[in-house]
Amino acid sequence: MYEIGELLFGRMNGPLDMAATAATVLGALLLCAALVLISRRNDVGWMLAVAAMLLPVLASALKFPPLMLDSPLTLLLFAAGAALTLAVAGGAAVYALFLFRKLPLAAPLTRTVLPRPFRGPDVVGPAAVAIVYSLASLVVVAAIFTGIHAPLSSVPWLTVLLNGFLAGLAPAALVGLANRSRWAWLLFVVAAIVAIYSTVMTAQGSVLIFLYVVQAGLAIAGWQRWGTLASSTNNATAPK
Protein backbone atom coordinates (compact mmCIF):
# COMPACT_ATOMS: atom_id res chain seq x y z
CA MET A 1 0.00 0.00 0.00
CA TYR A 2 2.85 2.34 0.89
CA GLU A 3 4.55 1.64 -2.44
CA ILE A 4 1.36 2.56 -4.31
CA GLY A 5 1.10 5.83 -2.37
CA GLU A 6 4.74 6.63 -3.13
CA LEU A 7 4.18 5.90 -6.82
CA LEU A 8 1.15 8.20 -6.92
CA PHE A 9 2.32 11.05 -4.69
CA GLY A 10 6.04 10.57 -4.15
CA ARG A 11 7.91 9.94 -0.92
CA MET A 12 6.65 11.88 2.08
CA ASN A 13 8.47 12.21 5.38
CA GLY A 14 6.19 13.56 8.07
CA PRO A 15 3.08 15.71 8.21
CA LEU A 16 4.69 18.78 6.60
CA ASP A 17 5.54 16.81 3.47
CA MET A 18 2.00 15.42 3.38
CA ALA A 19 0.52 18.91 3.72
CA ALA A 20 2.85 20.25 1.02
CA THR A 21 1.93 17.44 -1.37
CA ALA A 22 -1.79 17.92 -0.71
CA ALA A 23 -1.48 21.66 -1.38
CA THR A 24 0.47 21.05 -4.60
CA VAL A 25 -2.06 18.51 -5.91
CA LEU A 26 -5.00 20.72 -4.98
CA GLY A 27 -3.36 23.71 -6.68
CA ALA A 28 -2.82 21.68 -9.85
CA LEU A 29 -6.44 20.52 -9.80
CA LEU A 30 -7.73 24.06 -9.31
CA LEU A 31 -5.62 25.32 -12.19
CA CYS A 32 -7.07 22.62 -14.47
CA ALA A 33 -10.57 23.79 -13.55
CA ALA A 34 -9.53 27.42 -13.94
CA LEU A 35 -8.18 26.86 -17.45
CA VAL A 36 -11.44 25.25 -18.55
CA LEU A 37 -13.50 28.17 -17.25
CA ILE A 38 -11.11 30.91 -18.44
CA SER A 39 -11.24 29.45 -21.94
CA ARG A 40 -15.01 29.97 -21.68
CA ARG A 41 -14.46 33.55 -20.41
CA ASN A 42 -16.00 32.74 -17.02
CA ASP A 43 -15.24 34.88 -13.96
CA VAL A 44 -15.16 31.85 -11.66
CA GLY A 45 -12.11 30.55 -13.50
CA TRP A 46 -10.12 33.60 -12.48
CA MET A 47 -11.12 33.15 -8.84
CA LEU A 48 -9.92 29.55 -8.98
CA ALA A 49 -6.71 30.73 -10.63
CA VAL A 50 -5.93 32.96 -7.65
CA ALA A 51 -6.08 29.96 -5.30
CA ALA A 52 -4.18 27.82 -7.81
CA MET A 53 -1.30 30.32 -7.83
CA LEU A 54 -1.12 30.55 -4.03
CA LEU A 55 -1.21 26.87 -3.09
CA PRO A 56 2.04 25.70 -4.79
CA VAL A 57 3.97 28.60 -3.21
CA LEU A 58 2.57 27.68 0.19
CA ALA A 59 3.57 24.07 -0.47
CA SER A 60 7.14 25.13 -1.25
CA ALA A 61 7.26 27.15 1.97
CA LEU A 62 6.41 24.01 3.96
CA LYS A 63 9.44 22.18 2.60
CA PHE A 64 12.11 24.11 4.47
CA PRO A 65 15.18 22.25 5.84
CA PRO A 66 14.91 21.64 9.62
CA LEU A 67 18.44 23.00 10.06
CA MET A 68 17.04 26.46 9.33
CA LEU A 69 15.30 26.41 12.71
CA ASP A 70 18.70 26.86 14.37
CA SER A 71 19.11 30.32 12.83
CA PRO A 72 16.29 32.87 13.31
CA LEU A 73 17.93 35.17 10.75
CA THR A 74 18.02 32.44 8.10
CA LEU A 75 14.44 31.46 8.89
CA LEU A 76 13.40 35.10 8.56
CA LEU A 77 15.16 35.34 5.19
CA PHE A 78 13.37 32.20 4.02
CA ALA A 79 10.02 33.56 5.20
CA ALA A 80 10.68 36.86 3.41
CA GLY A 81 11.51 35.08 0.16
CA ALA A 82 8.46 32.83 0.41
CA ALA A 83 6.22 35.82 1.19
CA LEU A 84 7.61 37.75 -1.77
CA THR A 85 7.06 34.80 -4.10
CA LEU A 86 3.54 34.42 -2.75
CA ALA A 87 2.87 38.13 -3.25
CA VAL A 88 4.05 38.04 -6.87
CA ALA A 89 2.04 34.94 -7.81
CA GLY A 90 -1.07 35.95 -5.89
CA GLY A 91 -0.80 39.61 -6.83
CA ALA A 92 -0.54 38.82 -10.53
CA ALA A 93 -3.58 36.53 -10.31
CA VAL A 94 -5.66 39.09 -8.39
CA TYR A 95 -4.61 41.86 -10.80
CA ALA A 96 -5.65 39.66 -13.75
CA LEU A 97 -8.98 38.92 -12.05
CA PHE A 98 -9.86 42.58 -11.59
CA LEU A 99 -8.61 43.49 -15.06
CA PHE A 100 -10.76 40.78 -16.62
CA ARG A 101 -13.81 41.86 -14.63
CA LYS A 102 -13.64 45.25 -16.36
CA LEU A 103 -14.68 43.60 -19.63
CA PRO A 104 -18.39 43.82 -20.51
CA LEU A 105 -20.68 40.94 -19.61
CA ALA A 106 -21.92 38.68 -22.38
CA ALA A 107 -23.93 36.54 -19.93
CA PRO A 108 -23.98 36.06 -16.14
CA LEU A 109 -20.34 35.53 -15.01
CA THR A 110 -19.22 35.42 -18.66
CA ARG A 111 -17.30 38.28 -20.28
CA THR A 112 -17.07 39.49 -23.84
CA VAL A 113 -13.47 38.82 -24.88
CA LEU A 114 -12.18 40.16 -28.19
CA PRO A 115 -8.63 38.78 -28.52
CA ARG A 116 -6.25 41.31 -29.95
CA PRO A 117 -3.33 40.59 -32.27
CA PHE A 118 0.19 40.18 -30.94
CA ARG A 119 1.88 43.45 -29.99
CA GLY A 120 5.35 43.90 -28.56
CA PRO A 121 4.27 46.05 -25.58
CA ASP A 122 1.88 43.30 -24.45
CA VAL A 123 4.87 41.14 -23.56
CA VAL A 124 6.18 43.63 -20.99
CA GLY A 125 3.67 42.86 -18.23
CA PRO A 126 3.95 39.05 -18.32
CA ALA A 127 7.74 39.24 -18.66
CA ALA A 128 7.97 41.54 -15.64
CA VAL A 129 5.91 39.11 -13.54
CA ALA A 130 8.12 36.16 -14.50
CA ILE A 131 11.32 38.13 -13.82
CA VAL A 132 10.21 39.37 -10.40
CA TYR A 133 9.03 35.85 -9.53
CA SER A 134 12.45 34.55 -10.51
CA LEU A 135 14.25 37.13 -8.35
CA ALA A 136 12.03 36.24 -5.40
CA SER A 137 12.99 32.58 -5.79
CA LEU A 138 16.64 33.60 -5.42
CA VAL A 139 15.94 34.79 -1.88
CA VAL A 140 14.42 31.43 -0.96
CA VAL A 141 17.35 29.48 -2.41
CA ALA A 142 19.88 31.75 -0.68
CA ALA A 143 18.11 31.17 2.64
CA ILE A 144 18.13 27.38 2.15
CA PHE A 145 21.84 27.25 1.30
CA THR A 146 22.63 29.51 4.24
CA GLY A 147 20.51 27.33 6.53
CA ILE A 148 22.35 24.15 5.57
CA HIS A 149 25.69 26.00 5.91
CA ALA A 150 26.58 25.64 2.24
CA PRO A 151 28.62 28.41 0.58
CA LEU A 152 26.54 30.72 -1.59
CA SER A 153 29.25 30.51 -4.24
CA SER A 154 28.17 26.91 -4.85
CA VAL A 155 24.65 27.97 -5.84
CA PRO A 156 23.99 27.64 -9.61
CA TRP A 157 22.46 31.11 -9.76
CA LEU A 158 21.77 31.14 -13.49
CA THR A 159 19.94 27.81 -13.24
CA VAL A 160 17.93 29.07 -10.27
CA LEU A 161 17.04 32.25 -12.15
CA LEU A 162 15.97 30.30 -15.24
CA ASN A 163 13.91 27.82 -13.22
CA GLY A 164 12.24 30.67 -11.33
CA PHE A 165 11.48 32.50 -14.57
CA LEU A 166 9.92 29.40 -16.12
CA ALA A 167 7.86 28.73 -12.98
CA GLY A 168 6.73 32.36 -13.08
CA LEU A 169 5.25 31.88 -16.55
CA ALA A 170 1.99 30.60 -15.03
CA PRO A 171 1.08 33.84 -13.19
CA ALA A 172 2.56 35.75 -16.14
CA ALA A 173 0.14 33.94 -18.47
CA LEU A 174 -2.82 35.14 -16.38
CA VAL A 175 -1.73 38.75 -16.85
CA GLY A 176 -1.43 38.17 -20.60
CA LEU A 177 -4.86 36.56 -20.85
CA ALA A 178 -6.47 39.34 -18.81
CA ASN A 179 -5.10 41.72 -21.45
CA ARG A 180 -6.82 39.60 -24.12
CA SER A 181 -3.54 38.27 -25.53
CA ARG A 182 -4.28 34.88 -27.03
CA TRP A 183 -0.59 33.90 -27.20
CA ALA A 184 -0.49 33.90 -23.38
CA TRP A 185 -2.15 30.46 -23.43
CA LEU A 186 1.14 29.09 -24.77
CA LEU A 187 2.91 30.28 -21.61
CA PHE A 188 0.79 27.81 -19.65
CA VAL A 189 1.96 25.05 -22.00
CA VAL A 190 5.62 25.91 -21.31
CA ALA A 191 4.98 26.17 -17.56
CA ALA A 192 3.29 22.74 -17.58
CA ILE A 193 6.18 21.13 -19.48
CA VAL A 194 8.67 22.59 -17.00
CA ALA A 195 6.52 21.34 -14.10
CA ILE A 196 6.45 17.84 -15.62
CA TYR A 197 10.24 17.82 -15.90
CA SER A 198 10.65 19.07 -12.32
CA THR A 199 8.18 16.48 -11.01
CA VAL A 200 9.99 13.64 -12.77
CA MET A 201 13.41 14.79 -11.56
CA THR A 202 12.24 15.12 -7.94
CA ALA A 203 10.07 11.95 -8.01
CA GLN A 204 6.94 13.70 -6.73
CA GLY A 205 4.58 11.07 -8.08
CA SER A 206 2.54 10.21 -11.15
CA VAL A 207 -0.59 12.08 -10.05
CA LEU A 208 1.11 15.45 -10.47
CA ILE A 209 2.63 14.40 -13.79
CA PHE A 210 -0.85 13.50 -15.05
CA LEU A 211 -2.31 16.82 -13.85
CA TYR A 212 0.43 18.84 -15.54
CA VAL A 213 -0.12 16.94 -18.79
CA VAL A 214 -3.82 17.80 -18.49
CA GLN A 215 -2.92 21.46 -17.91
CA ALA A 216 -0.85 21.54 -21.09
CA GLY A 217 -3.74 20.00 -23.05
CA LEU A 218 -6.26 22.42 -21.57
CA ALA A 219 -4.01 25.37 -22.39
CA ILE A 220 -3.78 24.26 -26.02
CA ALA A 221 -7.57 23.83 -26.09
CA GLY A 222 -7.96 27.34 -24.60
CA TRP A 223 -5.64 28.76 -27.26
CA GLN A 224 -7.74 27.13 -29.96
CA ARG A 225 -11.02 28.27 -28.40
CA TRP A 226 -9.87 31.88 -28.21
CA GLY A 227 -8.80 31.55 -31.82
CA THR A 228 -12.44 30.99 -32.76
CA LEU A 229 -13.30 34.17 -30.84
CA ALA A 230 -10.73 36.09 -32.88
CA SER A 231 -12.11 34.62 -36.11
CA SER A 232 -15.66 35.54 -35.13
CA THR A 233 -14.55 39.10 -34.37
CA ASN A 234 -12.78 39.44 -37.72
CA ASN A 235 -15.80 38.10 -39.58
CA ALA A 236 -18.13 40.47 -37.74
CA THR A 237 -16.01 43.52 -38.57
CA ALA A 238 -15.19 42.55 -42.15
CA PRO A 239 -16.80 44.75 -44.84
CA LYS A 240 -19.88 43.20 -46.47
Side-chain angles (χ1 to χ4, degrees):
M1 189 68 180
Y2 176 79
E3 292 179 353
I4 295 176
E6 186 173 327
L7 176 65
L8 293 176
F9 301 103
R11 180 171 297 178
M12 291 177 282
N13 301 311
L16 284 181
D17 274 356
M18 293 178 64
T21 300
T24 303
V25 171
L26 180 58
L29 278 170
L30 288 178
L31 187 56
C32 288
L35 293 178
V36 172
L37 293 173
I38 291 174
S39 70
R40 298 175 180 274
R41 301 163 291 138
N42 192 291
D43 283 357
V44 178
W46 294 89
M47 300 174 192
L48 294 178
V50 173
M53 292 297 107
L54 296 179
L55 283 170
V57 180
L58 289 174
S60 299
L62 292 173
K63 296 180 179 179
F64 63 89
L67 287 174
M68 293 179 61
L69 296 174
D70 297 334
S71 173
L73 183 60
T74 303
L75 191 59
L76 182 62
L77 181 64
F78 180 87
L84 183 57
T85 307
L86 191 68
V88 174
V94 172
Y95 167 78
L97 168 63
F98 282 104
L99 190 62
F100 186 78
R101 286 175 64 88
K102 292 182 178 180
L103 297 175
L105 282 169
L109 295 177
T110 302
R111 304 285 165 174
T112 299
V113 176
L114 305 177
R116 56 191 184 189
F118 176 81
R119 303 183 308 171
D122 292 339
V123 179
V124 174
V129 170
I131 290 171
V132 176
Y133 189 96
S134 178
L135 293 175
S137 68
L138 287 182
V139 180
V140 175
V141 172
I144 292 174
F145 272 72
T146 302
I148 62 177
H149 307 294
L152 293 179
S153 59
S154 65
V155 180
W157 294 112
L158 288 178
T159 301
V160 173
L161 272 172
L162 178 60
N163 290 339
F165 181 85
L166 293 174
L169 290 180
L174 291 176
V175 174
L177 291 179
N179 282 294
R180 299 181 289 119
S181 297
R182 182 192 172 208
W183 56 265
W185 281 106
L186 302 179
L187 298 182
F188 275 121
V189 178
V190 177
I193 293 172
V194 172
I196 292 169
Y197 174 79
S198 176
T199 303
V200 171
M201 296 302 294
T202 54
Q204 294 182 60
S206 56
V207 169
L208 277 174
I209 294 174
F210 171 75
L211 290 175
Y212 293 137
V213 171
V214 171
Q215 285 179 14
L218 290 174
I220 293 173
W223 178 77
Q224 293 175 331
R225 190 178 184 90
W226 277 33
T228 62
L229 296 176
S231 299
S232 299
T233 302
N234 292 336
N235 291 336
T237 56
K240 304 296 185 182

